[in-house]
Amino acid sequence: MLDIDLAILYQVKTKVLKQAVRRNLERFPADFMFELSQDEYSSLRSQIVTIEVDISRRGKHSKYTAYAFTEHGVAMMSSILRSKTAIHVNISIMRAFVILRQNLIDVDELKIRIEELENQINLKFDDVYQVLNYLMGPSGQRTVIKGYKK
């Protein structure tokens, strides 16, 4: 998740969230959080199209690169943002990660089961084709059924 998304969820300004993270960098190793490269951030901003300007004539979107947080980084965020909102949001985010992980496991299990069924069906069709080849061929010879690939 990007810092701007977390700031919206935690109902704090992105600047405040980033300051809290910078003050606690030891809590965010590389597998918890990383800063987007300038190219990555530029690519992301190009999807936003242009910088909007508000009444104060300042850009609406940050001109600095964003932080991206992994599941562990989001969990660690609750140790530096201690508001009730932060606690509730963090619980919701962690539940979402658990659901995502479970769905990925379910998909993998489903793929394995489908492959098992395909193998069983192929084995059964092999038997059917062998019997048909035997029955259709002249005695002592086998013919190959059109479309059957062995």
Side-chain angles (χ1 to χ4, degrees), residues 24-90:
N24 295 278
L25 278 177
E26 67 279 357
R27 294 178 184 258
F28 295 96
D31 57 332
F32 282 32
M33 177 206 72
F34 59 92
E35 191 168 5
L36 297 178
S37 70
Q38 192 61 47
D39 288 341
E40 291 167 331
Y41 190 64
S42 295
S43 171
L44 184 64
R45 282 188 54 204
S46 71
Q47 293 176 17
I48 299 170
V49 182
T50 59
I51 295 178
E52 296 178 31
V53 177
D54 65 11
I55 296 170
S56 67
R57 307 291 300 154
R58 296 179 61 189
K60 184 176 175 183
H61 302 290
S62 174
K63 288 136 186 89
Y64 304 103
T65 58
Y67 290 139
F69 296 86
T70 66
E71 176 182 357
H72 301 298
V74 172
M76 186 59 72
M77 189 67 67
S78 67
S79 70
I80 63 171
L81 297 176
R82 296 182 177 260
S83 71
K84 286 188 180 198
T85 301
I87 293 167
H88 294 295
V89 167
N90 198 60

Side-chain angles (χ1 to χ4, degrees), residues 56-131:
S56 67
R57 307 291 300 154
R58 296 179 61 189
K60 184 176 175 183
H61 302 290
S62 174
K63 288 136 186 89
Y64 304 103
T65 58
Y67 290 139
F69 296 86
T70 66
E71 176 182 357
H72 301 298
V74 172
M76 186 59 72
M77 189 67 67
S78 67
S79 70
I80 63 171
L81 297 176
R82 296 182 177 260
S83 71
K84 286 188 180 198
T85 301
I87 293 167
H88 294 295
V89 167
N90 198 60
I91 290 168
S92 297
I93 291 171
M94 298 317 303
R95 286 182 176 149
F97 277 121
V98 168
I99 291 169
L100 267 171
R101 191 178 314 112
Q102 186 59 49
N103 285 338
L104 289 174
I105 290 169
D106 291 346
V107 167
D108 287 342
E109 288 175 1
L110 184 59
K111 275 175 43 177
I112 290 168
R113 184 69 181 130
I114 288 171
E115 288 173 3
E116 289 171 355
L117 288 171
E118 285 175 343
N119 290 336
Q120 290 174 2
I121 289 170
N122 286 339
L123 289 174
K124 289 180 182 180
F125 277 116
D126 282 346
D127 292 343
V128 170
Y129 282 125
Q130 286 179 8
V131 168

